[in-house]
Amino acid sequence: MEEKFKQLSEKLAELSDLVYASAVLGWDQQVYMPPAGAEERGNQLGTLARIIQEKATAPELGKLLEDLMPYAESLDPDSDEARLVKVTHRDYDKRKKVNPEWVSEFARATTVAETAWEQAKEKSDFSQFQPFLETIVRLRREYAQFFAPFEHVYDPLLDDFEPGLKTVDVKAIFDVLRPQQVELIRKIMDKPQVDDLFLHRPFPAKGQWDFGVSILTDMGFDWKRGRQDKSMHPFTTSFGLGDVRITTRVEPDFGIESLFSSMHEGGHALYEQGISPTLRRTLLATGASMAVHESQSRMWENLVGRSEAFWKRYYPRLQQMFSSQLGNVDWFTFYKGVNKVEPSLIRVAADEATYNLHIMLRLELEIALMEGSLEVRDLPETWNAEMKDYLGLTPPNDACGVLQDIHWSGGSIGYFPTYALGNLISVQLWGQIHKEIPDLENQIGDGNLGSLLEWLHINIHQYGAKFEPQELIQRVTGSKIDPKPYIRYLQEKFGQIYEI
Amino acid sequence: MEEKFKQLSEKLAELSDLVYASAVLGWDQQVYMPPAGAEERGNQLGTLARIIQEKATAPELGKLLEDLMPYAESLDPDSDEARLVKVTHRDYDKRKKVNPEWVSEFARATTVAETAWEQAKEKSDFSQFQPFLETIVRLRREYAQFFAPFEHVYDPLLDDFEPGLKTVDVKAIFDVLRPQQVELIRKIMDKPQVDDLFLHRPFPAKGQWDFGVSILTDMGFDWKRGRQDKSMHPFTTSFGLGDVRITTRVEPDFGIESLFSSMHEGGHALYEQGISPTLRRTLLATGASMAVHESQSRMWENLVGRSEAFWKRYYPRLQQMFSSQLGNVDWFTFYKGVNKVEPSLIRVAADEATYNLHIMLRLELEIALMEGSLEVRDLPETWNAEMKDYLGLTPPNDACGVLQDIHWSGGSIGYFPTYALGNLISVQLWGQIHKEIPDLENQIGDGNLGSLLEWLHINIHQYGAKFEPQELIQRVTGSKIDPKPYIRYLQEKFGQIYEI
């Protein structure tokens, strides 16, 4: 059995090398590739994806996993070995259920859909994108059928991002969240708005970059095992435990957004850098789920980076760096400014209090599309009606509305809810951290972020993908994903800022 | 047959995607990778190399090539299709002859030898490297035996870099070259030395970079299909015809070396950017040989970049940019300074007139090691004796002598002669270009480098690896590789500079 386990490890090492190689090509594509490199890069990524799929569904791998299942069951169920066999077996089974012809058709459909989406967005004309999205919705409904029977047609899609999580659970969570979050925003809107005009002045790019680097360093980002570059859309990627990279967007007209972007991606990167070396070159050397990953980025971006304690400590340094922009702005005004709540049309620009509503809207539409209760052609109208309902706004055009996100054009349905779940998990963990590190706020106020990172390493990061998200959160906090701490957090934080 | 040709094309497309993917990983490794990424990057490159080797020696590929040989012979022998089958068949045959166990042993041996070489060089102690080099020489002699029978044991090694070229040909070329080049250097050494002290002042890095970029642009480097970055050791790499990258080393204390480095790598890059799109994603989408590739880099670096015409045009711009370093230096003094001849110990720092002697020394030693007439343990002594003989110098230690180059530690034996052959080919082509573009010097003097590049595109670049090097040079110049034009070139150029 140990010989077979060694064989499995070798196969997984090869697979993970190929996945990392793809990641390097993908990183370069977004960061440094010259424009004319796109077509060939697409070929290279396509070839790697095909080889990965072949190897990940090879019958010898399946046989090995079958043979190893009894062995895995004989081990401590929390051991790396037992979990590795279990998670790999699950991944193999899922991949095998999907028809290879569907995989090819889906790859073709999303390639043309992304281009169509770009053009449709540029012209702000949903009708140009409609037939492509119809194909994607059809293919995603077919995809779900590979996993029949299921409780809900959306379950198999959600499972790709949140292993083990069910649509019914997500709905239940959002049903609790929605009315309270809508209510809070209504109360905020009744209060005088905070000032954030000072954030809309140009901030020189070099200062933004340097400040971001100094904060990443204080967060514990290991520069020997990673780097930061610039890209149009910030992201985090890993080429192995010794090379985790983030990007940020640094433009003078973007205020200090690059700082929050660096902290957000830095949170993702600390997760990847913190995975136990024992999981190296396996399927477990990644985050537990997209939502758990997002909980890390949101924690550093919002719970640390938009907190009073953080700015008490760091504001003097920022103010000194940008004295002409911030010389006359006191720290509490600044703190309130970076926490301004204002319903807006664009998800990625949304503040903490309104962000989840953008997600709920998308989740409802995705579920309706998958159930067949909503037709793609009716999407813009429904989108606009729900925006009005949730946030009191009506998009002036499709580009600011239904066409704003790239996700659907790339075939991602089931991804959006992970953003909101990440917010909830971050606060749920935050509560637990405060129980175990009672003077956390003081430590942050002293610029000492080390024990926070250590806690995350010990309780979350080191495990990689050993545990499913609900299991992990339950282990750490004693309960499954729970929206109540998040609601309390929003009420307290914005209650203070808006004097509710 | 057309169906089979299509199958071949698909297999080669996949192979070339994997080779390009490796190139992206290799580029990043030298340009941006954080230090702790090295181990995992090695794994990734190893896995890709293994998959490439598997696919390049797959029996189905061999069968396809066998089936296609009669078809290829029925086509115009100069057609892309005929050449593609021929070159691919040759590559397949060569790979198949090598025992896979040898490949693994060689990979392991060179990995440890590179580290041993680094340490030995740091301590300037050849004895630390000796056992590793002994293993490599043994393995390379075994490698040659896979291709027995051969005329000379060095032939199979040379053939990896210069398809079709034989040791006897290279020896004959160098036998003509050696005495005349030694004689020329002796004459130069009898004359007063030219002044180049002004090159040893610090040149600000940004100015060097900007000047290099402007020259690359004038050379016709296509920035939409490539980029330049910085690295410790400058190199050129291709990720496809739409993405060809170069690096340069830019340090204030390196004088204007970064400019010549940019022109050298730019010459390589123009070759790769100029390959016909019809050869895309095949084994032909690369240079004809290492020597032909080097002829392109040397042409731009030396025949253009160290010429009178070039500096008549560009010196005022350079002088303006670096007025404090060059304000008092007239253009002809500058021209002579960048062409200073001085025997030195280090190959990579050698001038045009002495460079080839460094190569001849290495070639003799390589041949003797392969023939078994020289033992590795006697290498330092022989090296030092030959340095004295060729250049009148004795290395003070192994680091400046036999340990200076990385090549042998990586298992490259047979590579060095391509550098010298590249010099010869560059001048041989240069003569042909002057016949066809009589006012070339005037064009260069006007900063018009377009018709030179066009000539290279039409006569060299577009063909990629369709023709073997001797065949290509014969087609273009009417004769095979010939040392005489190079000797005349050196005599004329340095005769003028040193008033011989």
Side-chain angles (χ1 to χ4, degrees):
Chain A
M1 274 304 156
E2 272 158 27
E3 176 53 32
K4 293 211 172 187
F5 191 81
K6 192 163 157 275
Q7 285 173 28
L8 176 68
S9 299
E10 278 165 15
K11 284 188 190 297
L12 296 182
E14 184 185 44
L15 259 176
S16 96
D17 288 342
L18 292 170
V19 171
Y20 288 138
S22 294
V24 177
L25 269 64
W27 170 85
D28 178 76
Q29 187 174 34
Q30 292 192 59
V31 177
Y32 291 117
M33 190 182 74
E39 188 188 333
E40 283 157 308
R41 185 59 53 89
N43 291 334
Q44 294 149 19
L45 285 166
T47 289
L48 284 172
R50 204 176 52 249
I51 294 173
I52 290 167
Q53 177 68 8
E54 268 170 36
K55 292 190 182 280
T57 56
E60 314 87 76
L61 178 61
K63 177 76 171 59
L64 211 47
L65 287 164
E66 282 305 326
D67 292 352
L68 280 164
M69 281 303 274
Y71 169 69
E73 275 155 24
S74 75
L75 300 171
D76 169 5
D78 286 353
S79 67
D80 287 354
E81 292 78 7
R83 290 284 171 165
L84 180 61
V85 174
K86 191 180 156 201
V87 171
T88 310
H89 195 272
R90 190 179 195 281
D91 178 79
Y92 178 83
D93 269 359
K94 283 193 72 174
R95 284 181 185 260
K96 281 300 256 194
K97 284 186 175 154
V98 182
N99 183 327
E101 278 154 36
W102 182 92
V103 174
S104 306
E105 192 182 349
F106 186 69
R108 279 193 302 277
T110 53
T111 302
V112 294
E114 282 192 18
T115 311
W117 168 76
E118 272 172 31
Q119 291 166 356
K121 187 178 178 184
E122 208 169 289
K123 296 192 178 148
S124 194
D125 177 5
F126 179 78
S127 71
Q128 287 191 23
F129 180 49
Q130 185 187 318
F132 298 93
L133 185 54
E134 280 167 350
T135 303
I136 283 170
V137 169
R138 172 179 63 77
L139 285 167
R140 275 302 182 196
R141 293 179 67 179
E142 286 176 27
Y143 178 80
Q145 293 306 322
F146 294 130
F147 302 93
F150 38 66
E151 282 173 44
H152 192 283
V153 63
Y154 193 72
D155 282 353
L157 280 72
L158 188 62
D159 192 84
D160 285 350
F161 305 104
E162 299 300 319
L165 200 64
K166 299 292 177 208
T167 308
V168 63
D169 300 324
V170 177
K171 276 184 161 176
I173 291 166
F174 285 6
D175 282 346
V176 173
L177 194 61
R178 189 183 301 106
Q180 305 210 47
Q181 201 159 347
V182 169
E183 160 92 2
L184 174 67
I185 293 162
R186 201 190 48 71
K187 283 184 183 162
I188 292 172
M189 289 303 98
D190 286 345
K191 292 284 178 174
Q193 188 51 286
V194 302
D195 174 25
D196 74 339
L197 266 181
F198 52 88
L199 289 174
H200 297 276
R201 297 165 192 163
F203 285 71
K206 183 172 183 314
Q208 288 191 56
W209 177 268
D210 291 346
F211 193 78
V213 166
S214 77
I215 297 298
L216 284 166
T217 305
D218 284 6
M219 284 167 63
F221 183 85
D222 183 348
W223 297 99
K224 288 190 301 298
R225 297 194 293 139
R227 49 180 289 127
Q228 179 178 249
D229 293 88
K230 293 167 197 161
S231 69
M232 180 68 78
H233 303 289
F235 66 98
T236 302
T237 185
S238 170
F239 311 152
L241 304 185
D243 192 352
V244 178
R245 304 196 186 181
I246 63 176
T247 70
T248 187
R249 182 176 177 185
V250 188
E251 287 179 25
D253 295 341
F254 255 56
I256 58 160
E257 270 313 303
S258 79
L259 169 65
F260 292 114
S261 164
S262 285
M263 293 188 78
H264 180 100
E265 303 305 334
H268 284 304
L270 291 175
Y271 194 173
E272 296 284 336
Q273 288 187 338
I275 293 168
S276 167
T278 57
L279 306 180
R280 179 173 284 202
R281 292 175 97 200
T282 72
L283 287 191
L284 301 185
T286 183
S289 75
M290 297 303 296
V292 177
H293 231 304
E294 194 72 5
S295 78
Q296 300 305 293
S297 57
R298 287 298 195 168
M299 183 181 288
W300 288 98
E301 177 192 359
N302 288 333
L303 306 188
V304 177
R306 285 191 170 88
S307 73
E308 276 192 76
F310 181 82
W311 287 113
K312 266 184 198 154
R313 166 74 182 189
Y314 287 100
Y315 188 63
R317 195 196 286 180
L318 187 78
Q319 199 178 27
Q320 192 175 22
M321 199 160 222
F322 298 109
S323 53
S324 67
Q325 290 84 358
L326 300 173
N328 300 321
V329 181
D330 66 79
W331 83 265
F332 196 65
T333 303
F334 178 84
Y335 163 71
K336 289 190 292 181
V338 299
N339 283 295
K340 181 183 174 184
V341 175
E342 189 167 49
S344 64
L345 292 166
I346 306 298
R347 175 185 60 86
V348 295
D351 56 74
E352 254 185 296
T354 60
Y355 188 89
N356 284 354
L357 297 180
H358 290 267
I359 297 306
M360 290 181 214
L361 177 156
R362 286 158 178 74
L363 175 67
E364 282 178 27
L365 299 178
E366 286 189 345
I367 290 177
L369 287 169
M370 286 298 289
E371 286 177 344
S373 58
L374 173 65
E375 295 293 326
V376 170
R377 66 168 177 274
D378 298 327
L379 202 48
E381 198 184 323
T382 314
W383 179 288
N384 293 350
E386 297 225 354
M387 272 305 279
K388 183 79 189 165
D389 194 32
Y390 275 120
L391 288 160
L393 300 169
T394 304
N397 57 47
D398 292 341
C400 300
V402 67
L403 285 176
Q404 68 181 266
D405 295 305
I406 195 174
H407 302 58
W408 291 338
S409 75
S412 285
I413 298 179
Y415 189 121
F416 281 123
T418 73
Y419 291 125
L421 295 171
N423 287 332
L424 308 191
I425 296 169
S426 73
V427 173
Q428 203 174 337
L429 293 175
W430 200 241
Q432 188 62 31
I433 299 168
H434 274 77
K435 279 185 205 154
E436 299 181 30
I437 312 176
D439 71 333
L440 180 65
E441 301 298 322
N442 289 336
Q443 293 190 17
I444 295 174
D446 292 340
N448 170 13
L449 307 172
S451 52
L452 169 59
L453 180 57
E454 194 190 348
W455 189 95
L456 293 170
H457 272 166
I458 293 171
N459 292 281
I460 306 286
H461 299 173
Q462 63 159 324
Y463 297 121
K466 273 178 74 168
F467 307 115
E468 293 186 351
Q470 289 283 38
E471 184 186 4
L472 178 67
I473 306 308
Q474 170 99 46
R475 276 170 173 261
V476 179
T477 69
S479 61
K480 292 191 172 177
I481 302 172
D482 178 4
K484 291 187 292 296
Y486 189 68
I487 295 165
R488 279 198 301 275
Y489 159 77
L490 288 182
Q491 286 168 342
E492 279 170 29
K493 176 170 182 176
F494 294 99
Q496 182 217 26
I497 290 171
Y498 282 93
E499 300 175 13
I500 293 165
Chain B
M1 274 305 156
E2 272 158 28
E3 177 53 32
K4 292 209 173 187
F5 191 82
K6 193 163 156 274
Q7 285 174 27
L8 177 68
S9 300
E10 279 165 14
K11 284 188 191 297
L12 296 182
E14 184 184 44
L15 259 175
S16 95
D17 287 343
L18 292 170
V19 170
Y20 287 137
S22 293
V24 176
L25 269 63
W27 170 86
D28 178 76
Q29 188 174 32
Q30 291 193 59
V31 177
Y32 291 117
M33 190 183 74
E39 187 188 333
E40 282 157 307
R41 185 59 55 88
N43 291 334
Q44 294 149 19
L45 285 165
T47 289
L48 284 173
R50 204 176 54 248
I51 294 173
I52 289 168
Q53 178 69 7
E54 268 171 34
K55 291 188 182 282
T57 55
E60 312 88 76
L61 178 61
K63 178 75 172 57
L64 211 47
L65 287 163
E66 283 304 328
D67 292 351
L68 279 164
M69 281 304 274
Y71 169 69
E73 275 153 25
S74 75
L75 299 173
D76 170 5
D78 286 354
S79 66
D80 288 353
E81 292 76 9
R83 291 283 171 165
L84 180 60
V85 173
K86 191 181 155 199
V87 171
T88 309
H89 194 271
R90 190 179 196 282
D91 178 80
Y92 179 83
D93 269 0
K94 284 193 73 173
R95 284 182 184 260
K96 281 302 256 193
K97 283 185 174 155
V98 182
N99 183 328
E101 278 156 35
W102 182 93
V103 173
S104 304
E105 192 183 350
F106 186 70
R108 279 193 302 275
T110 53
T111 302
V112 295
E114 282 192 17
T115 310
W117 168 75
E118 271 173 33
Q119 291 166 355
K121 186 177 177 183
E122 208 168 288
K123 295 191 179 148
S124 194
D125 177 5
F126 180 77
S127 70
Q128 286 191 24
F129 180 48
Q130 185 186 316
F132 298 93
L133 185 55
E134 280 166 350
T135 303
I136 282 171
V137 169
R138 173 179 63 75
L139 285 168
R140 275 302 184 195
R141 293 179 68 179
E142 286 176 26
Y143 179 79
Q145 293 306 323
F146 293 129
F147 301 94
F150 38 67
E151 285 172 42
H152 191 284
V153 62
Y154 193 73
D155 282 354
L157 279 71
L158 188 62
D159 193 84
D160 284 351
F161 304 105
E162 297 302 318
L165 200 65
K166 300 292 177 205
T167 308
V168 64
D169 301 323
V170 177
K171 276 183 160 175
I173 291 166
F174 284 6
D175 282 347
V176 174
L177 193 61
R178 190 183 301 103
Q180 305 211 49
Q181 201 159 347
V182 169
E183 159 92 2
L184 175 66
I185 293 163
R186 201 191 45 71
K187 282 182 184 163
I188 292 172
M189 289 302 98
D190 287 344
K191 292 284 178 175
Q193 188 50 286
V194 301
D195 174 25
D196 74 338
L197 266 181
F198 52 88
L199 289 175
H200 296 278
R201 298 166 191 162
F203 286 70
K206 184 174 181 313
Q208 287 192 57
W209 176 267
D210 291 345
F211 193 78
V213 166
S214 77
I215 298 298
L216 284 166
T217 305
D218 284 6
M219 283 167 64
F221 183 84
D222 184 349
W223 297 100
K224 290 190 300 298
R225 297 193 294 139
R227 47 180 291 126
Q228 180 178 248
D229 293 88
K230 293 167 198 161
S231 69
M232 180 69 77
H233 303 288
F235 65 99
T236 302
T237 186
S238 169
F239 311 152
L241 304 185
D243 191 354
V244 177
R245 304 197 187 181
I246 63 176
T247 69
T248 188
R249 182 177 176 184
V250 188
E251 288 179 25
D253 295 342
F254 254 57
I256 58 160
E257 270 313 304
S258 78
L259 169 66
F260 292 114
S261 165
S262 285
M263 293 188 79
H264 180 99
E265 303 305 333
H268 284 305
L270 291 175
Y271 194 175
E272 296 284 337
Q273 287 187 339
I275 293 168
S276 167
T278 57
L279 305 180
R280 179 173 283 199
R281 292 176 96 199
T282 71
L283 287 191
L284 302 185
T286 184
S289 75
M290 296 304 296
V292 177
H293 231 304
E294 194 73 5
S295 78
Q296 300 305 293
S297 57
R298 287 297 195 166
M299 183 179 288
W300 288 97
E301 177 192 357
N302 288 333
L303 306 187
V304 177
R306 286 190 169 89
S307 73
E308 276 191 75
F310 181 81
W311 287 113
K312 266 184 198 154
R313 167 74 183 187
Y314 287 100
Y315 188 63
R317 196 196 286 181
L318 187 77
Q319 198 178 28
Q320 193 175 21
M321 200 161 219
F322 298 110
S323 53
S324 66
Q325 290 84 358
L326 300 174
N328 299 322
V329 181
D330 66 78
W331 84 266
F332 196 64
T333 303
F334 178 85
Y335 164 71
K336 289 191 291 183
V338 298
N339 282 295
K340 181 183 174 185
V341 175
E342 189 167 47
S344 65
L345 292 166
I346 305 298
R347 176 185 60 85
V348 295
D351 55 74
E352 253 185 298
T354 59
Y355 188 90
N356 284 354
L357 298 179
H358 291 268
I359 297 305
M360 290 179 214
L361 178 156
R362 286 158 178 75
L363 175 67
E364 282 178 28
L365 299 178
E366 286 189 346
I367 289 177
L369 287 170
M370 287 298 289
E371 286 175 344
S373 58
L374 173 66
E375 294 294 326
V376 170
R377 65 168 176 274
D378 298 326
L379 202 48
E381 199 183 324
T382 314
W383 178 288
N384 292 350
E386 297 225 355
M387 270 306 278
K388 183 80 189 162
D389 193 32
Y390 275 119
L391 288 161
L393 299 170
T394 305
N397 56 49
D398 292 341
C400 300
V402 67
L403 285 176
Q404 69 183 264
D405 295 305
I406 195 173
H407 300 59
W408 291 338
S409 75
S412 284
I413 297 180
Y415 190 120
F416 281 123
T418 73
Y419 291 125
L421 294 171
N423 287 332
L424 308 191
I425 296 169
S426 73
V427 174
Q428 202 174 338
L429 293 175
W430 200 241
Q432 188 62 31
I433 298 167
H434 275 76
K435 279 186 206 155
E436 297 181 31
I437 312 176
D439 71 333
L440 181 64
E441 301 299 323
N442 289 336
Q443 293 190 19
I444 295 173
D446 291 340
N448 170 12
L449 307 172
S451 51
L452 170 59
L453 179 58
E454 195 190 346
W455 190 95
L456 293 170
H457 272 167
I458 292 170
N459 291 281
I460 306 285
H461 300 174
Q462 63 159 322
Y463 297 121
K466 272 178 76 169
F467 307 115
E468 293 187 350
Q470 289 283 38
E471 184 185 6
L472 179 67
I473 305 308
Q474 170 98 44
R475 278 171 171 259
V476 179
T477 69
S479 62
K480 293 191 172 178
I481 302 173
D482 177 4
K484 292 189 292 297
Y486 189 69
I487 294 166
R488 279 197 302 276
Y489 160 78
L490 287 183
Q491 286 167 342
E492 279 170 30
K493 177 170 182 176
F494 294 100
Q496 182 217 25
I497 291 172
Y498 281 93
E499 300 175 13
I500 295 164

